[in-house]
Amino acid sequence: MGLLRSAFSLSLIAALAAILFPSATHIVKVGGPFFFTPNPTVLAEGHGPIYIDDTIHCEDVHHYLPANLLFAACEDSKTTRFDWFPPLGHLTPRPEARGSIHVVDPKTMKSSRLEFENFEGPFVTHGIDVIEDPEQADAVYIFAVNHLPNPDYWLEGAEDTPKARSQVELFHHVLESKTVQHVRSIRHPLIKTPNDVYADSPNSIYITNDHFYRDGPMRLLEDLWSSAKWTTVIHVQITDLRAKDSAGLDASVAHSGLWNNNGLGHGRTDDEIVISSAVGGELYVSERHVNNTISIKSIIPFDTVADNPSFYADPYRTEADDASGYVVAGITQALYLAKTAKDPDGINPSQVWYARPTANGWEKKLLFEDDGSRIRSASAAVLVPIEPEKGQKKAWLFVTGFLSEKMIAVKVDL
């Protein structure tokens, strides 16, 4: 009840702030509880939802277009995330936590779990990226965040050290095979609170740190204070794919000064990178430069948390009708997350938005909304095209969440 009272108090404070300070209205809408009532999307017959088995707590999902396959890193247990998941401040270690990488076929709506090669130990999953192996067309590299407990804290008792020692794992997978081979781990002092990964080559990646503080009251302040623009995007140049941990790496700050930067996504061109501010409810359409820095070109605001973004390239586009755009999912009652995040039976409503550029800015459309009964805590979504029906462009929308028990697919109009 204490957390519930806290959520209500925060809602009341946010509402008063919106009255006294109009610029706070957007933050109030993103927070949600005081004003927002979920309005679940009514689906026509044959439009789903289709539930994808064996996709537990898959925080991120990517559509690898060349093979028309979806890739996700999942937790594989309904309980471990509620004890150990540093991004939510859950810091009771579960040494047995071992997620896996899954491939979902959008034609069969089935998930296949890949067997690890050369990889042992905990695998606590979060953001991922998937890119083609430039030397092997039928293979991909998969980058995946792994939130490991820090042995310097838990084994050595060094109280002044962080409880988590998160890193990024690099895997290699030959398409249609049943295995995924671990290539190396990527660990660096600049990688502190990694959330998502963007890869522009097997040797060059960007990583978001979603908080400056790992736990405690200052971390809570980061979530509530819009001026806490302390998060960073880190660029890592991998000089040796076969080295271990922190060897064979060069890292630098590619961008700083954003509030709770979170998900990363590919865009319309090779140099476009999309960054989300989760609690800020914004997407930053940005550009990568040759010196590995990032500059923001435009901002797309949403009235909900903005988590992992994806880009949909319309294969049926014409000069007069191009449905290409960004897809972003997020929870809608963010202030209740403090109460529900440790509850295996909790409910987290969500929305999935779709934004495409127009001559006058950005046209935004609500693709899907749920009260948490069909999908919990939506954090990522991708569109898979369907041949137009009577001139209407359609796609299967796949939605997953950091606390969802199953990924779902629903048919949507574009």
Side-chain angles (χ1 to χ4, degrees):
M1 289 298 293
L3 286 172
L4 182 60
R5 285 195 295 269
S6 297
F8 177 79
S9 299
L10 290 172
S11 300
L12 183 59
I13 292 170
L16 291 173
I19 295 171
L20 297 174
F21 306 101
S23 62
T25 301
H26 176 66
I27 305 305
V28 172
K29 290 180 179 178
V30 172
F34 197 80
F35 296 114
F36 182 79
T37 300
N39 184 26
T41 301
V42 177
L43 299 172
E45 184 177 354
H47 286 217
I50 297 173
Y51 294 92
I52 313 297
D53 290 333
D54 195 25
T55 53
I56 301 170
H57 299 169
C58 309
E59 193 270 348
D60 196 7
V61 61
H62 282 258
H63 183 209
Y64 183 64
L65 191 58
N68 190 30
L69 294 171
L70 308 183
F71 285 84
C74 307
E75 201 62 25
D76 294 343
S77 167
K78 296 180 182 179
T79 60
T80 57
R81 180 148 293 189
F82 296 98
D83 290 329
W84 175 263
F85 191 56
L88 288 176
H90 300 173
L91 296 170
T92 301
R94 294 286 295 271
E96 76 279 12
R98 186 166 175 79
S100 61
I101 294 174
H102 294 238
V103 180
V104 177
D105 188 336
K107 298 185 294 295
T108 64
M109 301 292 183
K110 302 293 184 182
S111 171
S112 300
R113 186 184 303 203
L114 299 179
E115 180 182 344
F116 287 122
E117 293 181 353
N118 191 37
F119 186 59
E120 300 293 337
F123 184 37
V124 181
T125 62
H126 204 163
I128 67 168
D129 200 7
V130 182
I131 60 168
E132 183 180 33
D133 180 347
E135 298 179 355
Q136 188 176 351
D138 67 340
V140 295
Y141 282 103
I142 304 169
F143 292 86
V145 173
N146 185 9
H147 294 292
L148 296 171
N150 188 349
D152 292 339
Y153 179 90
W154 297 103
L155 299 180
E156 305 297 333
E159 294 291 334
D160 58 340
T161 61
K163 296 178 181 179
R165 192 185 68 187
S166 302
Q167 59 191 37
V168 174
E169 311 294 352
L170 173 57
F171 300 94
H172 187 264
H173 169 64
V174 177
L175 298 172
E176 298 186 8
S177 73
K178 297 181 179 180
T179 62
V180 61
Q181 183 182 45
H182 187 245
V183 177
R184 65 162 296 167
S185 297
I186 299 165
R187 187 190 309 157
H188 192 276
L190 289 178
I191 304 172
K192 298 179 179 180
T193 56
N195 185 297
D196 202 6
V197 186
Y198 171 110
D200 62 278
S201 80
N203 300 90
S204 175
I205 61 174
Y206 293 82
I207 303 165
T208 47
N209 286 312
D210 58 24
H211 286 80
F212 182 84
Y213 294 93
R214 290 179 169 92
D215 56 15
M218 290 300 292
R219 181 186 174 96
L220 177 61
L221 178 65
E222 282 191 82
D223 289 335
L224 298 176
W225 186 34
S226 61
S227 295
K229 298 180 178 180
W230 307 326
T231 56
T232 54
V233 181
I234 304 301
H235 177 261
V236 179
Q237 188 71 38
I238 306 168
T239 56
D240 186 350
L241 285 178
R242 300 299 170 182
K244 294 183 178 181
D245 300 333
S246 59
L249 303 174
D250 291 322
S252 60
V253 177
H255 195 278
S256 61
L258 295 179
W259 182 29
N260 189 215
N261 63 195
N262 193 281
L264 292 170
H266 293 261
R268 296 164 290 185
T269 66
D270 289 342
D271 293 329
E272 190 168 88
I273 181 171
V274 188
I275 310 167
S276 72
S277 168
V279 291
E282 294 179 324
L283 285 189
Y284 303 100
V285 182
S286 310
E287 181 181 0
R288 298 186 296 109
H289 301 290
V290 292
N291 63 355
N292 300 318
T293 61
I294 294 171
S295 60
I296 295 171
K297 298 301 181 183
S298 62
I299 301 174
I300 312 173
F302 297 92
D303 291 336
T304 184
V305 166
D307 217 312
N308 299 305
S310 64
F311 179 71
Y312 173 71
D314 179 11
Y316 305 104
R317 61 186 175 272
T318 64
E319 187 173 341
D321 182 13
D322 187 352
S324 301
Y326 301 103
V327 181
V328 61
I331 57 175
T332 52
Q333 294 183 319
L335 287 177
Y336 283 149
L337 188 59
K339 175 179 180 292
T340 61
K342 283 207 168 190
D343 182 1
D345 299 316
I347 296 293
N348 298 101
S350 306
Q351 290 179 337
V352 180
W353 288 88
Y354 168 61
R356 61 180 181 178
T358 69
N360 300 315
W362 295 94
E363 176 187 75
K364 290 177 287 187
K365 178 181 180 180
L366 182 61
L367 285 179
F368 180 72
E369 183 174 355
D370 192 56
D371 61 3
S373 60
R374 294 176 291 191
I375 183 73
R376 180 181 178 184
S377 69
S379 55
V382 296
L383 288 168
V384 176
I386 301 171
E387 189 172 344
E389 300 174 6
K390 297 180 180 179
Q392 174 63 58
K393 292 185 177 180
K394 295 180 178 290
W396 280 106
L397 174 70
F398 289 81
V399 189
T400 189
F402 54 91
L403 295 176
S404 62
E405 291 192 6
K406 292 183 180 180
M407 186 184 302
I408 66 169
V410 296
K411 187 183 290 189
V412 296
D413 295 335
L414 300 179

